[in-house]
Amino acid sequence: KQEVTQIPAALSVPEGENLVLNCSFTDSAIYNLQWFRQDPGKGLTSLLLIQSSQREQTSGRLNASLDKSSGRSTLYIAASQPGDSATYLCAVQGAQKLVFGQGTRLTINP
Amino acid sequence: DAGVIQSPRHEVTEMGQEVTLRCKPISGHDYLFWYRQTMMRGLELLIYFNNNVPIDDSGMPEDRFSAKMPNASFSTLKIQPSEPRDSAVYFCASSPPNRGNGYTFGSGTRLTVV
């Protein structure tokens, strides 16, 4: 059974810092890995999708990496802004099932 | 495309009442998923459909929960009778035939059973 773990559970940093969110998964037989953002009381917004054959994806200030063999992914956020405050969820897709981690609650302090 | 559309956005009901949640997937997506999100358990997959056929309902918590997909553009999740522990946010998501293209989620239905 696939298990996804995100560390840390919560993170608070001052504005402008670069930061890394971590995700690990137990079964490396995945099709892709997706990072989502969730604002309080809102739905899930897809940030980055990494196919199993890829090593990383970039979108603006966000960069996600994938190391399937070790069962790890990282989400790097450069030059953080208060608007980046949200919960970030990592999800891995196996045979059509998307399994989520518990998320990292990120707070960027002005 | 308007994305995945869920209704209602909020639902408050009394224990014992029937609740029906609705979802319209993105046109052309042939996979549809129902998830439930709670503080304690995070996001859990309840059931998913492929081409309107239920493929895996192992996440449905009890017989009080049922889901249907009568056509490619509509799905319902029904709880009968509802209980306070069913209070959660229920998300619908869809994905295209080419697995690996990711999921798109709706805005969710926040259900409160009192």
Side-chain angles (χ1 to χ4, degrees), chain A residues 31-32 38 51 96-98, chain B residues 35 37 56 99-100 103:
Chain A
Y31 285 95
N32 62 47
Q38 186 174 31
Q51 305 283 0
Q96 269 318 324
K97 282 189 180 184
L98 197 63
Chain B
Y35 281 83
Q37 185 178 37
D56 186 347
R99 71 172 53 167
Y103 288 37

Side-chain angles (χ1 to χ4, degrees), chain A residues 31-32 34 36 38 40-44 46 49 51 89 93-102, chain B residues 9 31 33 35 37 40-43 45 48 56 58 91 95 99-103 105-107 110:
Chain A
Y31 285 95
N32 62 47
Q34 206 165 351
F36 292 87
Q38 186 174 31
K42 303 294 184 182
L44 281 72
S46 181
L49 171 72
Q51 305 283 0
L89 293 153
Q93 181 176 347
Q96 269 318 324
K97 282 189 180 184
L98 197 63
V99 179
F100 283 85
Q102 289 285 61
Chain B
R9 290 296 308 275
Y31 284 90
F33 308 83
Y35 281 83
Q37 185 178 37
M40 290 298 295
R41 301 174 67 92
L43 275 155
L45 177 65
Y48 78 91
D56 186 347
S58 60
F91 287 103
S95 72
R99 71 172 53 167
N101 278 357
Y103 288 37
F105 279 75
S107 299
R110 181 174 296 277

Side-chain angles (χ1 to χ4, degrees), chain B residues 3 5 7 19-21 26 29 31-32 35 42 45 47 50 55 57-59 68-69 85 88 93 96-97 113:
Chain B
I5 300 172
S7 63
V19 176
T20 300
L21 311 181
I26 291 174
H29 284 195
Y31 284 90
L32 183 139
Y35 281 83
L45 177 65
I47 184 171
N50 179 222
I55 302 301
D57 65 355
S58 60
K68 293 182 180 179
M69 192 165 186
R85 60 195 167 115
V113 183

Side-chain angles (χ1 to χ4, degrees), chain B:
Chain B
D1 199 316
V4 177
I5 300 172
Q6 291 188 245
S7 63
R9 290 296 308 275
H10 302 275
E11 177 81 30
V12 180
T13 190
E14 291 185 348
M15 182 174 63
Q17 296 297 306
E18 177 180 294
V19 176
T20 300
L21 311 181
R22 298 173 175 78
C23 175
K24 176 180 168 54
I26 291 174
S27 177
H29 284 195
D30 62 353
Y31 284 90
L32 183 139
F33 308 83
W34 283 101
Y35 281 83
R36 177 172 68 176
Q37 185 178 37
T38 60
M39 287 293 292
M40 290 298 295
R41 301 174 67 92
L43 275 155
E44 303 173 282
L45 177 65
L46 300 177
I47 184 171
Y48 78 91
F49 296 82
N50 179 222
N51 291 320
N52 313 337
V53 176
I55 302 301
D56 186 347
D57 65 355
S58 60
M60 297 285 263
E62 303 172 28
D63 291 345
R64 298 183 297 104
F65 286 70
S66 63
K68 293 182 180 179
M69 192 165 186
N71 57 61
S73 59
F74 184 66
S75 176
T76 59
L77 178 67
K78 185 175 294 186
I79 308 172
Q80 166 63 23
S82 58
E83 297 183 4
R85 60 195 167 115
D86 301 332
S87 297
V89 181
Y90 291 81
F91 287 103
C92 176
S94 67
S95 72
N98 183 5
R99 71 172 53 167
N101 278 357
Y103 288 37
T104 302
F105 279 75
S107 299
T109 294
R110 181 174 296 277
L111 174 65
T112 303
V113 183
V114 298

Side-chain angles (χ1 to χ4, degrees), chain A residues 23-26 28 66-73:
Chain A
C23 172
S24 61
F25 47 95
T26 55
S28 61
L66 173 64
D67 184 341
K68 253 182 53 170
S69 61
S70 68
R72 295 184 181 185
S73 175

